[in-house]
Amino acid sequence: MTRSSRDETGETDETDETGETGETGGAPPPLPGHLVPRPRLAARIHASLERRPVLVVAAAAGSGKTTAVAQAVRELTGPVAWVSIPRAPRCGGTLARVLAAAVRPWAPDAVTMSAGTPGRELALPTPGTVLAGTPGGTGLVLVVDGVDRTRGSTGAQRMLGALVEGLPAGPRLVLISRTDLPTDLGGLGDVQRVGFLEDRDLAFDVAEAEEALRRMGRDDDARRSVGAMRGWISGVIHDWWGEDPSASAAQHDRLAADLLRELTSAESTLLVRTSLIEGAVTAEQANALGLASPDRTMAVLRGRSLPLSWSPDRRGMVALPRFRDFLRREAACLDDDCLRELRQGYARLLQGSGRHEDAVAELLMCGETDSARHAAERVLPDVLGRLDLATAQSWLDRMRPAPRPLAPNLATAGLRVAFGLEQCWRGAQLADHHGRLWWTGLGRRPGGAEDLALLAWCLWHVGRLDETRDILDVMPAGLPRDIVAALLALADDGTVRLTTDHLHRAPGPLEAMVMRIAYMAGQLRQLQDASVPGPWRRSSGIPWTVAALRAGGRISEAEEAYGSSAEGPRPAWLEAIDAAELMADLGHRDEAWAALLAGRDRIAATGSRVYEMLSLLLEAKLALRLDHDLPRAARALAEAERRGGARYAFIRELAGTWRGLELLSAGREAEALPHLAAAVAGMSAGGRRLELPSAAVYLSEALWRTGDEDGADEAADLAVRVADGQGSRHLLLQALEDMPSVAARRADAEPAHGSRWHELVSALSTPVPGAGGDRILLRIEDFGPVRLVAEGREIHPRLAKSVELLAYLTSRPQAGARRQALLEALFPGRSDATGRSYLRQAVYRLREVLPDGLTLHQEGDVYRLSPASAVASSSGTFRRLLAEAARQDGEHRWDTLRGALALAERGSYFDSVSTHWLDARRAELDGALTQARVDAASVALHVGRVRDARRLARLVLDADPYREQAWRLALHAAEAVGDDDELLDLYRGYLRVMNELGVPPSADLKRLVDRLRR
């Protein structure tokens, strides 16, 4: 028995059950189900058989020759005998037996060849003998497929020649071959007796190609495919371009292997060896690769049916992608010497055409490290210019060890890779390999000061501070030296002296280095307000952009910046530090710990001792704030000290801050005091102010507990001044959440209720901002007319109660609520049975419209939306923005409040709908809106937006004329524009309102009016 597999062209491979290929004969092979009828081709085959007894169909693999003949002979009325020769027969006798077996149903007396003496071929029967007994007039058509496989068998070819020459009258013979048959075979040169069909005759026209592709479910451009492939069927119906991801790679490989086997050695060698070349291959390029007579070989290939694209002048040849991939895999199988020689030749070609980067890759692949190094020196500036650090890293790693003396471009590349990829160990290795003499000479060449700064960064990170100081000593005066001095000031007891000008003028990677130093120094305002960043800041500076936004209380922006960086490389600081701090600030405890621990592997790969110690300090901070786990915090701090934290001033100060908090939390304020006093003193003197607000708050608490009230007030006021300088209250509020009594004491001591400390106490009562959600699937616009929007389209549940159900769930923690709470809120006054029935309907109708990825599921009597972060409501976003604004200051706070107000001022919550819970929620949000307007008016007045302050104060007084803070803001706004008349009108209005209440006017406001009028 045989198994037969058939591709779309009808070409078959037949294999017997043992895996050996065998000869077959009998009926024509089956045709594929989606076959395209080709009546014009069938008519041509019929006409040829009527005029001539022999038809030769010789065309390339995949040309559809077998399918075309099978289609045509099925339409004949006479008998058809089909012989397929899938392998070369060992002798003519074997072929004769197959032929006889195939025609026996119509020629019962056909001779049966018997076995002869082993090793000797039997005398061949004559064609008349083979076809003896064929009834005259039956029109028997004998089809012999795979004639090309008789090549190499003299006996089989003699048998076929005799068959052609001695064909008796009546029967017709069709020979199918993948290669042209010799014209002297059986008189094939007799055009009176022999007809021919070739590739161009079998080719698809555009209409046939369109129909074939349609039946295969593809919408390819048939005209393009027919033009490019000259109608070659396999070229049309197989996706050689690789545009169809579902196309079978194995099928393309089989066909490509068949195509290659049909070629001469020179032709296949040229295709395989030139497959390394990107773009069009010319005879000149092939000659440069050492191929003999490539012009003649390419002239032959132009006439072949192959998946090749030719330039308009027919001189350039490009293998289509899937064919090229196959050819490249064949090239990879060449022996090592041959492949090395080939790649060397290709590298020379690339260099000659100016493609030096590609030449480096080829030279490295063939082990020519020295040649690759020389080529790399030329192009590394361009590679670094586009910040392709991964390519530079790959080259440097494969070109080790670096030569002595090190070429300038290689030194620059190595140091930029070390800095950009946070691999400080790489810079330390360069210093060790080349020695002091090498780096002392860097400053004397152009750009050398910048290289020295990067080397200093590497050595500083790995703990080699003495060498870092030595580098500073040999650096010429200028910006790079100033930056290294600031870097060392983080470790030494010096003062970090960085200005905004440093951030603006720092060239190349030094811009990102300044960002690192500025963040550690707490210069958040400079990081947030810098001008348009350069390329290094946009790439290597991302972690410190995220860090500065988070520390500045701009949590939503930090979350967005962190998420957007997922498309590129993820620096170690971003993964190991930023992620943990951001998750902690968003209230995601488990995610924060997971990020911290996972980040340890990333830190280990950098070789940075500084990062190791900062990770331990962060562990202590999370242990204290998230879990109140004092022992774990103490262990982490002890480990950071053991690793040398005391050698770096800023690490020593941070460790003192968290040690102080740990001791305060344990009630050991006397022990905490020296740690906190040293931290605050060092941070203040050295300009290392990132966590100075925190340290000052903890110091204030320690001083208060130990009886130094004046010192406690001074420390608390220092915390506020530093936070104001940073332009953010976020870190200050975090520390005050740890020690809230500090804010309460200072607010109590203030004579006016509108003081800075009163604002901070109010901010402490505001919920911590939560996450905005990674991917929002459903939005509820619940201010004004209610709308549900899923993935850009509005959706409409069939029941209004379903919308109310959704709103209620999103207003609850974790977007969940118990059944009883839902019944009481949505269906008050209903019986239990009726309410539950209505609730089931509301749930069902809501589930109908929820987008994919968002579900409403029930766990016991709890209904919950999952994931909760995938649903966002305007009211929820409003409250989150207010929470963020409470931790910001200045223009950033104004922008956040303005965004919140824009949401809430679209209309009332669930406009025109009234139920008890909706009315309560509406009143709550209206109150929040009024307070937000008060806060926004205060901020607007502070940043000089007097017109906005007057407008917002008026809006508040129109809604709530009894709010004294709004009168105060309105009076200040009137005074700011110098309008005494408005000032007095406002005060008279205030007096009327107080009189209505029967309450005497505030003495504080009267003093304010008197002062403003002066």
Side-chain angles (χ1 to χ4, degrees):
M1 294 180 63
T2 63
R3 299 188 302 274
S4 176
S5 63
R6 177 178 299 275
D7 65 16
E8 292 88 340
T9 66
E11 304 293 343
T12 62
D13 291 317
E14 296 179 356
T15 308
D16 64 24
E17 293 176 342
T18 66
E20 294 293 331
T21 308
E23 300 82 3
T24 64
L31 297 174
H34 56 263
L35 189 67
V36 177
R38 304 185 70 191
R40 67 175 180 86
L41 188 54
R44 181 163 182 177
I45 292 173
H46 295 160
S48 180
L49 291 175
E50 287 177 3
R51 292 194 299 269
R52 300 177 183 87
V54 179
L55 173 62
V56 175
V57 183
S63 60
K65 51 192 176 296
T66 299
T67 301
V69 174
Q71 278 183 295
V73 299
R74 273 175 168 75
E75 299 175 10
L76 299 175
T77 56
V80 175
W82 191 287
V83 173
S84 180
I85 310 175
R87 70 175 179 184
R90 289 179 292 274
C91 62
T94 302
L95 180 57
R97 284 196 300 272
V98 174
L99 294 173
V103 302
R104 188 174 295 112
W106 299 277
D109 297 330
V111 68
T112 300
M113 301 298 295
S114 60
T117 304
R120 296 185 59 190
E121 187 173 313
L122 290 173
L124 295 178
T126 66
T129 304
V130 173
L131 297 175
T134 302
T138 59
L140 172 67
V141 174
L142 173 60
V143 181
V144 181
D145 192 2
V147 172
D148 51 287
R149 297 185 180 102
T150 64
R151 187 188 307 170
S153 174
T154 304
Q157 290 205 342
R158 285 171 51 204
M159 176 66 208
L160 285 174
L163 184 61
V164 172
E165 288 184 329
L167 189 68
R172 295 291 187 263
L173 176 64
V174 180
L175 301 178
I176 304 176
S177 174
R178 290 184 173 185
T179 58
D180 291 337
L181 300 181
T183 55
D184 60 350
L185 178 66
L188 290 181
D190 185 354
V191 296
Q192 301 300 320
R193 298 186 67 250
V194 182
F196 291 89
L197 285 182
E198 300 174 343
D199 289 274
R200 62 176 177 271
D201 304 308
L202 297 166
F204 268 156
D205 59 25
V206 174
E208 290 169 336
E210 286 178 343
E211 180 62 16
L213 293 170
R214 184 190 67 78
R215 293 187 179 214
M216 296 173 67
R218 288 169 42 198
D219 58 357
D220 305 43
D221 183 347
R223 188 172 299 278
R224 181 197 72 163
S225 298
V226 169
M229 296 289 99
R230 292 182 294 173
W232 176 48
I233 293 178
S234 280
V236 171
I237 67 175
H238 288 83
D239 177 25
W240 293 103
W241 284 269
E243 296 170 352
D244 181 7
S246 65
S248 167
Q251 185 181 59
H252 283 86
D253 285 353
R254 285 196 302 270
L255 184 53
D258 285 346
L259 293 171
L260 218 58
R261 279 194 294 269
E262 291 181 14
L263 304 179
T264 66
S265 175
E267 292 164 3
S268 61
T269 298
L270 185 142
L271 287 174
V272 169
R273 298 197 178 192
T274 60
S275 65
L276 297 181
I277 298 176
E278 293 287 347
V281 177
T282 64
E284 292 80 5
Q285 290 174 322
N287 187 62
L289 294 183
L291 296 168
S293 304
D295 48 351
R296 288 199 296 270
T297 305
M298 289 181 68
V300 175
L301 287 173
R302 279 193 287 271
R304 300 284 194 190
S305 292
L306 292 167
L308 302 172
S309 174
W310 293 87
S311 62
D313 61 4
R314 308 290 286 169
R315 296 181 59 196
M317 171 188 77
V318 178
L320 296 184
R322 290 186 188 273
F323 190 44
R324 182 190 62 207
D325 291 344
F326 172 82
L327 294 173
R328 285 182 171 176
R329 289 195 296 274
E330 291 291 301
C333 295
L334 296 172
D335 66 76
D336 292 343
D337 291 339
C338 180
L339 191 55
R340 184 182 303 109
E341 182 180 344
L342 184 61
R343 290 196 179 280
Q344 288 173 344
Y346 184 37
R348 289 191 295 270
L349 265 179
L350 292 169
Q351 288 178 299
S353 60
R355 295 170 57 188
H356 298 284
E357 289 185 35
D358 295 328
V360 173
E362 289 296 326
L363 290 168
L364 287 172
M365 279 191 279
C366 65
E368 293 292 322
T369 305
D370 290 338
S371 298
R373 187 178 293 115
H374 291 307
E377 289 171 15
R378 178 171 184 172
V379 294
L380 271 170
D382 293 334
V383 173
L384 295 171
R386 63 172 185 267
L387 289 183
D388 189 355
L389 299 178
T391 294
Q393 176 193 25
S394 173
W395 290 359
L396 292 171
D397 287 344
R398 297 171 69 179
M399 290 189 297
R400 288 180 180 175
R404 298 185 181 93
L406 187 63
N409 284 347
L410 292 179
T412 297
L415 292 168
R416 276 156 179 72
V417 167
F419 178 78
L421 299 181
E422 295 185 284
Q423 297 172 349
C424 48
W425 58 265
R426 188 183 292 273
Q429 281 188 354
L430 277 175
D432 291 340
H433 184 68
H434 296 284
R436 182 185 179 90
L437 186 62
W438 164 67
W439 59 256
T440 54
L442 285 178
R444 294 192 293 271
R445 65 174 182 79
E450 188 175 320
D451 289 345
L452 279 173
L454 298 178
L455 180 60
W457 179 88
C458 293
L459 296 175
W460 182 87
H461 262 275
V462 300
R464 293 160 63 169
L465 295 178
D466 289 340
E467 292 170 80
T468 309
R469 297 183 187 101
D470 291 344
I471 289 176
L472 180 65
D473 290 341
V474 303
M475 290 184 72
L479 184 61
R481 190 181 192 282
D482 293 344
I483 294 171
V484 173
L487 178 69
L488 271 169
L490 290 175
D492 299 338
D493 290 325
T495 300
V496 177
R497 303 185 187 281
L498 279 182
T499 66
T500 303
D501 190 51
H502 284 104
L503 193 58
H504 292 336
R505 292 195 302 115
L510 296 191
E511 180 185 30
M513 188 184 295
V514 172
M515 291 183 70
R516 290 157 161 79
I517 302 169
Y519 175 73
M520 295 298 185
Q523 296 177 337
L524 304 180
R525 193 185 297 276
Q526 288 89 331
L527 287 174
Q528 295 168 354
D529 299 336
S531 60
V532 178
W536 276 89
R537 180 172 182 176
R538 287 194 298 270
S539 58
S540 297
I542 287 175
W544 284 269
T545 298
V546 173
L549 290 170
R550 181 206 63 82
R554 298 161 66 178
I555 306 299
S556 293
E557 294 175 70
E559 191 179 10
E560 182 180 351
Y562 177 81
S564 66
S565 66
E567 299 176 0
R570 307 278 285 186
W573 180 275
L574 187 74
E575 291 285 87
I577 306 295
D578 280 342
E581 295 224 76
L582 185 58
M583 292 302 104
D585 283 7
L586 290 169
H588 299 332
R589 175 198 174 277
D590 293 344
E591 290 89 337
W593 280 117
L596 176 80
L597 297 177
R600 297 274 167 88
D601 291 337
R602 294 295 310 276
I603 286 175
T606 68
S608 169
R609 296 180 64 182
V610 171
Y611 282 0
E612 289 176 359
M613 292 183 285
L614 287 175
S615 178
L616 288 166
L617 296 185
L618 180 55
E619 180 180 354
K621 177 180 174 181
L622 297 184
L624 292 168
R625 285 186 168 167
L626 299 182
D627 297 340
H628 199 67
D629 188 343
L630 304 186
R632 181 171 187 174
R635 289 193 300 271
L637 291 168
E639 180 61 20
E641 183 177 3
R642 188 189 69 79
R643 297 192 185 191
R647 298 182 60 216
Y648 292 83
F650 81 107
I651 293 179
R652 183 173 65 246
E653 292 154 3
L654 289 174
T657 300
W658 305 124
R659 176 72 75 188
L661 177 58
E662 178 237 328
L663 293 170
L664 281 174
S665 301
R668 298 157 61 185
E669 48 273 358
E671 296 175 63
L673 189 56
H675 291 284
L676 293 168
V680 169
M683 291 176 177
S684 299
R688 298 176 288 271
R689 302 190 170 193
L690 176 63
E691 290 287 2
L692 180 52
S694 302
V697 166
Y698 303 150
L699 177 60
S700 176
E701 181 67 17
L703 289 168
W704 177 268
R705 292 186 190 181
T706 55
D708 187 351
E709 297 183 14
D710 291 340
D713 290 346
E714 290 177 8
D717 291 342
L718 172 64
V720 171
R721 288 197 302 274
V722 174
D724 288 344
Q726 290 176 339
S728 168
R729 304 190 295 186
H730 181 58
L731 299 181
L732 172 64
L733 284 169
Q734 285 188 324
L736 290 172
E737 285 168 351
D738 296 330
M739 298 293 160
S741 56
V742 173
R745 283 194 299 268
R746 291 299 291 118
D748 286 343
E750 292 292 332
H753 289 292
S755 73
R756 183 70 160 163
W757 281 105
H758 283 92
E759 289 181 14
L760 291 170
V761 170
S762 175
L764 285 174
S765 65
T766 304
V768 176
D774 295 333
R775 182 179 175 223
I776 304 301
L777 300 176
L778 179 62
R779 296 184 182 275
I780 313 172
E781 297 179 7
D782 47 11
F783 285 122
V786 180
R787 297 174 65 240
L788 303 186
V789 179
E791 299 176 342
R793 61 181 182 86
E794 190 169 350
I795 60 175
H796 303 278
R798 299 186 189 185
L799 289 180
K801 280 295 180 183
S802 296
V803 180
E804 194 176 338
L805 167 64
L806 180 64
Y808 186 87
L809 289 173
T810 55
S811 71
R812 304 291 98 184
Q814 301 302 313
R818 294 189 176 277
R819 180 192 294 113
Q820 190 58 39
L822 290 170
L823 293 173
E824 292 172 358
L826 303 181
F827 309 103
R830 305 274 186 180
S831 67
D832 286 349
T834 304
R836 288 179 179 176
S837 175
Y838 283 147
L839 178 59
R840 283 194 296 272
Q841 293 180 47
V843 168
Y844 175 71
R845 294 306 181 188
L846 178 56
R847 284 171 174 163
E848 279 186 327
V849 297
L850 290 180
D852 292 341
L854 179 63
T855 60
L856 171 56
H857 57 85
Q858 182 179 358
E859 300 171 354
D861 69 338
V862 176
Y863 291 84
R864 191 180 306 281
L865 290 165
S866 180
S869 60
V871 188
S873 65
S874 299
S875 59
T877 304
F878 169 69
R879 298 308 297 261
R880 181 166 57 84
L881 290 174
L882 294 184
E884 285 193 27
R887 292 169 176 266
Q888 298 170 351
D889 217 343
E891 287 286 350
H892 297 313
R893 189 178 185 199
W894 164 251
D895 289 339
T896 304
L897 285 169
R898 187 173 57 176
L901 293 175
L903 287 174
E905 289 172 352
R906 294 175 182 173
S908 296
Y909 180 73
F910 263 72
D911 196 20
S912 303
V913 181
S914 178
T915 64
H916 177 72
W917 90 267
L918 282 175
D919 293 342
R921 173 78 167 159
R922 186 178 299 119
E924 173 194 333
L925 291 169
D926 286 347
L929 173 59
T930 299
Q931 184 59 48
R933 284 171 171 161
V934 170
D935 293 342
S938 177
V939 177
L941 198 59
H942 179 70
V943 299
R945 299 178 179 273
V946 179
R947 180 181 299 177
D948 289 311
R950 296 172 74 187
R951 175 180 60 82
L952 289 165
R954 285 291 187 183
L955 286 173
V956 173
L957 292 174
D958 289 344
D960 184 2
Y962 306 111
R963 191 173 287 259
E964 185 169 303
Q965 191 179 3
W967 287 108
R968 184 186 304 274
L969 290 168
L971 289 168
H972 273 293
E975 187 273 338
V977 296
D979 193 336
D980 285 349
D981 292 337
E982 182 182 4
L983 183 70
L984 292 174
D985 285 344
L986 284 167
Y987 188 60
R988 282 193 293 268
Y990 166 71
L991 292 176
R992 284 194 300 272
V993 170
M994 295 299 102
N995 187 52
E996 290 176 15
L997 293 174
V999 175
S1002 165
D1004 184 44
L1005 266 184
K1006 185 177 186 305
R1007 285 194 298 270
L1008 173 65
V1009 173
D1010 290 341
R1011 180 174 62 81
L1012 293 178
R1013 290 191 68 201
R1014 286 197 297 271

